[in-house]
């Protein structure tokens, strides 16, 4: 995994892939699957929707940090598996054969098998809407990974895999920040 | 366009497609392109990131309603065009040859050419993070439209088209609300 400039980290999230969010509660690591996410700005602030119904929420609220790990399509069954069991009674790194890797800033682990990882600090929790606001503090991409297509949850139990890419860089030039 | 049950409207948004948001400021219609969106719950509440920098924001704040119109890939150049000019000096419905259609609840128009439309009320604006919280009040899908693949912005001027669909309904059964 090589570091990615923070000014580009939002490009890992903007297309709306299903993500894994890791936390460390001071005692153990956990992972949750999240599909409800949003980019908030070009400095790489993000919003995710989560709350008490996710076991990870307590660690997120307490330690105010997490890692967004972005899986590729070859991990879909693990992603769904992670999203349908609970860290309350499951060591998900062990069960799903994932490798925790130390980040540079936060205690929550990166996931080695993912195509990208973003270390984040929790900068706000809007309880009324169950929105957690995150700020990226470091980002990494596994450039050597061959399969980089992500998956997008539809919400009905089906998923859409990334298809072909269309380049509109010229038309979009006025809207894309320099260096992205 | 046929009506879609509101309990299914979130499935139009969860995969993270680029959307068009229409508003009516009491005088004229406008459209903006938005990629920073998030599902907030299964009752079809959504968050979008927008603020003063978008001409549409004034109408959104004043009239507290909009329509989320979901374009398909065959509309990509219009979507990019809409996102790179301003309603301050452009009638975007006319310029991009789009057809405004009256909705049932809100004054902002549906867009006939889109694959789906969701009438929304603004239920909160979180100024600190430029988050606008929307609640769907009616949803429609053009089931007869052949091209239904959506596009996902990467943020660097490129876009990812929906690829193949993977079915994990069985594995996801415990997480998908009944009737979705």
């Amino acid at each position: 995994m090589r570091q990615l400039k923070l000014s580009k980290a939002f490009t890992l999230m903007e297309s709306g892939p299903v993500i894994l969010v890791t936390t460390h509660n001071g005692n153990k690591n956990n992972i949750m699957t999240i599909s409800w996410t949003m980019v908030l700005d070009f400095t790489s602030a993000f919003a995710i929707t989560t709350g008490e119904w996710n076991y990870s929420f307590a660690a997120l609220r307490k330690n105010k940090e997490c890692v967004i790990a972005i899986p590729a399509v070859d991990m879909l069954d693990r992603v769904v598996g992670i999203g349908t069991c609970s860290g309350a009674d499951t060591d998900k790194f062990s069960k799903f054969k994932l490798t925790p890797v130390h980040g540079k800033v936060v205690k929550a682990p990166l996931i080695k098998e993912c195509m990208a990882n973003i270390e984040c600090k929790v900068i706000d929790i809007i309880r009324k809407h169950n929105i957690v606001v995150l700020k990226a503090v470091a980002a990494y991409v596994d450039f050597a990974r061959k399969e980089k297509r992500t998956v997008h949850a539809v919400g009905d139990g089906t998923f859409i895999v990334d298809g072909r890419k269309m380049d509109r860089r010229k038309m979009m030039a006025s809207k894309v920040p320099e260096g992205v």
Side-chain angles (χ1 to χ4, degrees), chain A:
Chain A
M1 277 187 288
R2 282 218 322 264
Q3 255 191 289
L4 182 76
K5 277 198 283 187
L6 273 180
S7 57
K8 288 187 179 184
F10 79 96
T11 64
L12 298 170
M13 289 287 285
E14 180 159 336
S15 72
V18 176
I19 62 167
L20 301 173
V21 175
T22 79
T23 47
H24 182 84
N25 68 1
N27 181 35
K28 59 183 184 179
N29 295 324
N30 194 25
I31 321 174
M32 63 178 162
T33 300
I34 294 267
S35 176
W36 298 353
T37 74
M38 173 167 74
V39 173
L40 284 174
D41 65 27
F42 294 113
T43 72
S44 292
F46 307 109
I48 65 174
T49 301
T50 181
E52 310 285 359
W53 64 87
N54 280 321
Y55 180 74
S56 299
F57 184 69
L60 211 51
R61 191 179 43 195
K62 183 182 158 208
N63 296 320
K64 304 223 170 331
E65 47 181 51
C66 65
V67 166
I68 290 173
I70 304 179
V73 59
D74 50 10
M75 296 173 68
L76 179 60
D77 285 334
R78 288 196 272 186
V79 169
V80 173
I82 289 164
T84 50
C85 68
S86 172
D89 54 20
T90 311
D91 175 345
K92 299 195 197 181
F93 274 93
S94 162
K95 178 168 182 179
F96 297 101
K97 298 186 172 43
L98 294 169
T99 316
V101 176
H102 283 293
K104 295 205 159 115
V105 185
V106 308
K107 285 197 177 114
L110 316 181
I111 300 178
K112 184 171 180 268
E113 288 76 10
C114 283
M115 58 152 285
N117 283 272
I118 309 171
E119 294 188 60
C120 295
K121 294 276 188 185
V122 173
I123 57 169
D124 203 359
I125 297 180
I126 303 158
R127 296 301 291 260
K128 188 178 168 193
H129 300 293
N130 301 305
I131 293 172
V132 176
V133 180
L134 305 175
K135 176 93 178 173
V137 290
Y140 313 83
V141 172
D142 182 355
F143 290 100
R145 197 185 206 286
K146 280 196 180 140
E147 179 59 85
K148 286 204 196 72
R149 290 175 302 159
T150 64
V151 280
H152 306 258
V154 173
D156 61 357
T158 66
F159 295 82
I160 297 165
V161 186
D162 286 351
R164 78 187 184 94
K165 221 156 173 187
M166 294 174 82
D167 188 337
R168 292 295 182 276
R169 274 181 252 237
K170 267 190 196 163
M171 282 179 78
M172 289 286 293
S174 66
K175 291 284 176 180
V176 175
E178 212 165 328
V180 171

